[in-house]
Amino acid sequence: MRRFVFVLLMLAVGAGCFAQSDSEKAKIAEIRKMYNSEMEWISTMLGDEAIPDDYITAKVRHNLAGTGQAEETIEFFFNDDFDEELGKYVSSLDFVRKTTVYTIAERKSYEEFLYDNDGFPAFYYASFQTLSLQHHKYEWVHVEIRAYYDKGVLFHTICKVGDDESSLKEESPEYFEDSLFSGFLQFGKLKDALDGMLN
């Protein structure tokens, strides 16, 4: 009898794990659909002169300690909706692309920030080079990070590392906690920047 109860308990736990996995897959699929829709809209908006543009491009040049002169290009894509309570149109951020080029270190980083319909983080992507301890010495490696959020709460992360973009292999997200945390903080800072410019 105990063995039968144990088997039932294990089946229940296993079914719960599969349900959670299916739920996670469904959320990831929904975010990917949202991302593809946003990319399609940006391409249409930028390619059709008849569609009013809702984006800002900011160029920032500054000197960074340890890397020298850097140039950032930040593209804010937003929409304007009428706020009944305020009685005016308010701009809300949908998507941000950020490219940073370090001239002395000759490195480049690229980031994307996707917001959901309620303004919460939905997806973060980062591609960059960094020094990593490989074979008892520090070497430059290429890193790609994908982070998925449900109403701003991180639920799935994919981190890959390789000598270049063609040799990426999955790595534990724990090695990139600083990058993930920094990316998450930027969601709020970018929204504040847009609010400061438009609202």
Side-chain angles (χ1 to χ4, degrees):
M1 181 69 174
R2 274 192 227 166
R3 187 173 210 185
F4 179 71
V5 172
F6 178 74
V7 170
L8 282 177
L9 181 63
M10 293 310 294
L11 286 173
V13 169
C17 290
F18 288 119
Q20 184 180 13
S21 177
D22 288 345
S23 171
E24 191 173 281
K25 286 178 186 175
K27 287 177 187 173
I28 290 170
E30 185 181 326
I31 291 168
R32 287 180 177 160
K33 186 177 177 183
M34 189 188 323
Y35 177 90
N36 290 336
S37 176
E38 188 67 30
M39 292 302 99
E40 188 177 316
W41 167 245
I42 289 170
S43 178
T44 301
M45 178 183 67
L46 296 178
D48 190 340
E49 291 182 13
I51 298 174
D53 293 334
D54 282 328
Y55 77 98
I56 295 171
T57 300
K59 293 254 188 205
V60 181
R61 289 181 59 84
H62 57 115
N63 192 43
L64 298 173
T67 56
Q69 184 71 51
E71 181 172 295
E72 290 182 337
T73 303
I74 308 168
E75 297 172 280
F76 298 84
F77 297 91
F78 57 92
N79 66 64
D80 296 313
D81 289 320
F82 191 78
D83 188 314
E84 297 288 340
E85 290 180 18
L86 297 175
K88 65 176 186 175
Y89 281 91
V90 176
S91 300
S92 59
L93 195 52
D94 292 333
F95 185 77
V96 175
R97 289 191 290 219
K98 182 178 177 185
T99 304
T100 307
V101 178
Y102 306 95
T103 55
I104 293 175
E106 296 183 1
R107 290 186 298 126
K108 180 179 177 181
S109 70
Y110 176 75
E111 295 172 285
E112 295 179 342
F113 305 83
L114 177 69
Y115 297 80
D116 68 16
N117 292 332
D118 297 318
F120 291 108
F123 176 71
Y124 170 66
Y125 171 80
S127 173
F128 58 91
Q129 291 86 33
T130 189
L131 282 172
S132 175
L133 188 60
Q134 305 286 321
H135 312 293
H136 308 292
K137 63 179 182 174
Y138 282 96
E139 296 177 4
W140 288 103
V141 294
H142 184 82
V143 177
E144 283 190 5
I145 295 173
R146 288 170 177 81
Y148 297 85
Y149 303 88
D150 183 18
K151 297 294 179 197
V153 177
L154 180 66
F155 72 90
H156 186 75
T157 308
I158 301 169
C159 298
K160 294 183 177 181
V161 179
D163 294 331
D164 53 34
E165 291 181 39
S166 65
S167 64
L168 295 174
K169 293 187 175 123
E170 199 152 345
E171 188 67 71
S172 173
E174 70 184 36
Y175 297 117
F176 304 101
E177 286 178 359
D178 290 345
S179 297
L180 286 163
F181 184 66
S182 173
F184 180 74
L185 289 180
Q186 287 186 75
F187 277 96
K189 291 176 181 178
L190 293 165
K191 278 180 80 170
D192 290 345
L194 182 75
D195 285 345
M197 288 185 277
L198 297 179
N199 295 325

